[in-house]
Amino acid sequence: MEVNNIFAIEGTEFPAGRRTRVMLGPNGALKGDQFSQGYVVIYKDGGIPEHSHPTVESYTILRGSGVMTVGNEEKLLKEGDYVFIPKDVPHALHNSGDGELHMM
């Protein structure tokens, strides 16, 4: 069993307006090749630009709200909402709220 702490991961500050701590995945603190998970703080008006990767993923909104795009679908997500993202499908998230958006 390997136990880590999210906040022990320094993470990366991105110019799109976020800090991402990759917990699990090909470039995560724990290596994995079928699933990705991270803890992300998206600053007001920031986001995760459209991208895709060869692993499935889920986004869970812990605080705040944002506009999620998966493929050609777009929806407003709020605290407590989560979405499944199939592998190789383009996806993006934009913080549309008044404060930070926290998600895993």
Side-chain angles (χ1 to χ4, degrees):
M1 176 188 314
E2 186 169 347
V3 177
N4 288 334
N5 186 287
I6 295 168
F7 303 109
I9 303 167
E10 181 179 339
T12 303
E13 195 80 23
F14 286 93
R18 76 182 192 276
R19 173 170 291 277
T20 298
R21 293 173 171 94
V22 181
M23 299 157 51
L24 172 65
N27 61 335
L30 295 176
K31 302 302 177 209
D33 58 6
Q34 299 296 314
F35 183 78
S36 294
Q37 184 178 30
Y39 182 83
V40 182
V41 176
I42 302 175
Y43 310 121
K44 185 173 172 24
D45 297 322
I48 300 173
E50 184 176 85
H51 66 288
S52 64
H53 34 80
T55 57
V56 299
E57 191 172 23
S58 68
Y59 282 12
T60 302
I61 307 302
L62 303 172
R63 181 175 14 163
S65 61
V67 176
M68 181 79 205
T69 305
V70 177
N72 295 322
E73 292 186 68
E74 187 175 280
K75 294 198 179 190
L76 179 63
L77 301 182
K78 64 186 180 322
E79 191 171 305
D81 289 342
Y82 60 96
V83 61
F84 174 78
I85 304 159
K87 66 180 187 172
D88 298 321
V89 174
H91 54 283
L93 176 61
H94 177 76
N95 181 349
S96 59
D98 292 330
E100 292 179 341
L101 184 157
H102 290 236
M103 53 85 62
M104 290 187 77

